[in-house]
Amino acid sequence: MSSSLAKAGSSGSDVDAPNATIDEKRRKRMISNRESARRSRMKRQKHLGGLVCEKSILERKIYEDNEKYVAIWQSHFALESQNKILRDEKMKLAENLKNLQQILSGYEVPESDQDIEVSDRFLNPWQVSSPVKPITASGMFKF
């Protein structure tokens, strides 16, 4: 019996050895898992920080693009208004030109400028063409 006890005693420590190996493996696995979880949290936090930064950049870009859009829209609106005014003016000028062409079509236009007679009275309007009679006070004021 004593030999069987000795075997049992030695086998008991042998039984503890596999348990110790299992406990050591479990402890290493737990440490490895904790380290992996820590790396995962850091990676996630770094990714989240990048996303927050990207979000702020995109929000700033949206604001700038909206400002540009408003400026372009206002410019477009001003150009449309100016274009409408110019179209209306063009229509009025075209109508005036049409009227002038109708008026001119009723007149004969000489072939050359030599055929046109212009009075000296129109060329020198500051000169009086009729003889000047002096004004006398002989008969105007009688006392």
Side-chain angles (χ1 to χ4, degrees), residues 12-71:
S13 63
D14 287 339
V15 172
D16 287 341
N19 285 341
T21 307
I22 291 173
D23 287 342
E24 183 64 25
K25 285 181 180 179
R26 182 180 289 162
R27 188 180 65 76
K28 284 182 181 180
R29 190 172 52 237
M30 285 176 51
I31 291 171
S32 175
N33 285 348
R34 284 182 188 147
E35 185 62 28
S36 177
R38 185 184 68 76
R39 285 192 310 265
S40 178
R41 283 190 303 271
M42 290 184 69
K43 183 178 176 182
R44 189 174 0 138
Q45 190 171 7
K46 183 179 176 184
H47 182 68
L48 182 63
L51 290 176
V52 168
C53 181
E54 186 179 352
K55 177 188 172 221
S56 66
I57 290 170
L58 290 173
E59 284 175 340
R60 185 170 16 109
K61 184 165 175 31
I62 287 171
Y63 176 78
E64 291 170 358
D65 288 348
N66 281 338
E67 291 293 315
K68 287 178 188 176
Y69 171 78
V70 168

Side-chain angles (χ1 to χ4, degrees), residues 4 9 16 24 27 42 46 71 75-76 88 92 95 107 115-116 118 131 133 137:
S4 64
D16 287 341
E24 183 64 25
R27 188 180 65 76
M42 290 184 69
K46 183 179 176 184
S75 175
H76 172 74
D88 292 344
K92 288 177 186 175
E95 184 66 30
Y107 292 105
D115 295 343
I116 299 174
V118 179
K133 295 181 183 177

